[in-house]
Amino acid sequence: MSDLVLRRGELGQLERLASGGTAIVYRLPQFRIPEPFEVVYKEYKPKTLQTAGPGLLPGLHAIVEFRMRLETKQRDLLDERSIWPLRLVTDDHGAAVGILMRLIPDRFFQKLYLPSGAQETKPHFGCVFVAEQKELCLARLG
């Protein structure tokens, strides 16, 4: 498709960072791209891939390509305010299996206090992709 697409095997060593309902996120200690930030690999779980179907590949490619078509100033602004997909990752057969994205900066996280008294740090739900909306999201979260 383009240089915006990588094969999973090109990523090198994967270090599991987090897991959610739709994907597992891995650090890539040996992999770099030209952008000036650390990237992680978000690998979609089999159920997510099955649900998304064949539209996942062109859909993710379009999202990644959109960012690259922006003027530098616009792309920098998007990168500052969002965690936008940077590359599409495919398996050896060319099927979409995930994306490369920027490691989420600390400013996108919040501490959660559980009824047990334990604390967890999680990304702001609904706020990860658009930093400008962070204050609005935090107001809704209470």
Side-chain angles (χ1 to χ4, degrees), residues 33 60 72 75 78 111 125 142:
I33 59 174
L60 287 176
T72 302
R75 187 170 44 248
L78 179 67
K111 281 187 183 175
F125 180 76

Short mmCIF file of all heavy atoms in Angstrom, two decimals, residues 33 60 72 75 78 111 125 142:
data_model
loop_
_atom_site.label_atom_id
_atom_site.label_comp_id
_atom_site.label_asym_id
_atom_site.label_seq_id
_atom_site.Cartn_x
_atom_site.Cartn_y
_atom_site.Cartn_z
N ILE A 33 10.78 5.29 14.35
CA ILE A 33 10.30 5.91 13.12
C ILE A 33 10.84 7.34 13.11
O ILE A 33 11.34 7.81 14.14
CB ILE A 33 8.75 5.89 13.03
CG1 ILE A 33 8.11 6.62 14.21
CG2 ILE A 33 8.24 4.46 12.93
CD1 ILE A 33 6.60 6.77 14.10
N LEU A 60 -8.05 1.86 8.41
CA LEU A 60 -6.86 2.27 9.15
C LEU A 60 -5.85 2.95 8.24
O LEU A 60 -5.20 3.93 8.64
CB LEU A 60 -6.22 1.07 9.85
CG LEU A 60 -6.97 0.52 11.06
CD1 LEU A 60 -6.27 -0.73 11.59
CD2 LEU A 60 -7.10 1.56 12.16
N THR A 72 2.96 20.40 7.48
CA THR A 72 3.76 20.15 8.67
C THR A 72 3.19 20.82 9.91
O THR A 72 3.08 20.20 10.97
CB THR A 72 5.22 20.61 8.45
OG1 THR A 72 5.74 19.91 7.32
CG2 THR A 72 6.08 20.33 9.66
N ARG A 75 0.09 18.97 11.00
CA ARG A 75 0.45 17.65 11.55
C ARG A 75 1.04 17.80 12.95
O ARG A 75 0.72 17.03 13.85
CB ARG A 75 1.43 16.93 10.61
CG ARG A 75 1.70 15.51 11.04
CD ARG A 75 2.46 14.68 10.02
NE ARG A 75 3.58 15.34 9.39
CZ ARG A 75 3.65 15.70 8.12
NH1 ARG A 75 2.65 15.46 7.29
NH2 ARG A 75 4.72 16.30 7.63
N LEU A 78 -1.80 18.41 15.31
CA LEU A 78 -2.53 17.16 15.54
C LEU A 78 -1.74 16.27 16.51
O LEU A 78 -2.32 15.71 17.45
CB LEU A 78 -2.77 16.43 14.22
CG LEU A 78 -3.50 15.10 14.32
CD1 LEU A 78 -4.95 15.31 14.75
CD2 LEU A 78 -3.46 14.36 12.99
N LYS A 111 -5.54 9.51 38.00
CA LYS A 111 -5.54 8.51 39.07
C LYS A 111 -6.98 8.17 39.41
O LYS A 111 -7.82 9.07 39.54
CB LYS A 111 -4.85 9.06 40.32
CG LYS A 111 -3.36 9.02 40.24
CD LYS A 111 -2.74 9.41 41.57
CE LYS A 111 -1.24 9.42 41.43
NZ LYS A 111 -0.58 9.89 42.64
N PHE A 125 -10.68 8.50 30.05
CA PHE A 125 -11.63 7.89 29.13
C PHE A 125 -12.22 8.96 28.24
O PHE A 125 -12.74 9.97 28.70
CB PHE A 125 -12.74 7.17 29.89
CG PHE A 125 -13.75 6.52 28.98
CD1 PHE A 125 -13.44 5.35 28.32
CD2 PHE A 125 -14.98 7.11 28.75
CE1 PHE A 125 -14.35 4.76 27.47
CE2 PHE A 125 -15.90 6.53 27.90
CZ PHE A 125 -15.58 5.35 27.26
N GLY A 142 -15.90 14.51 37.03
CA GLY A 142 -16.07 14.95 38.41
C GLY A 142 -14.75 15.10 39.03
O GLY A 142 -14.38 14.98 40.08
#
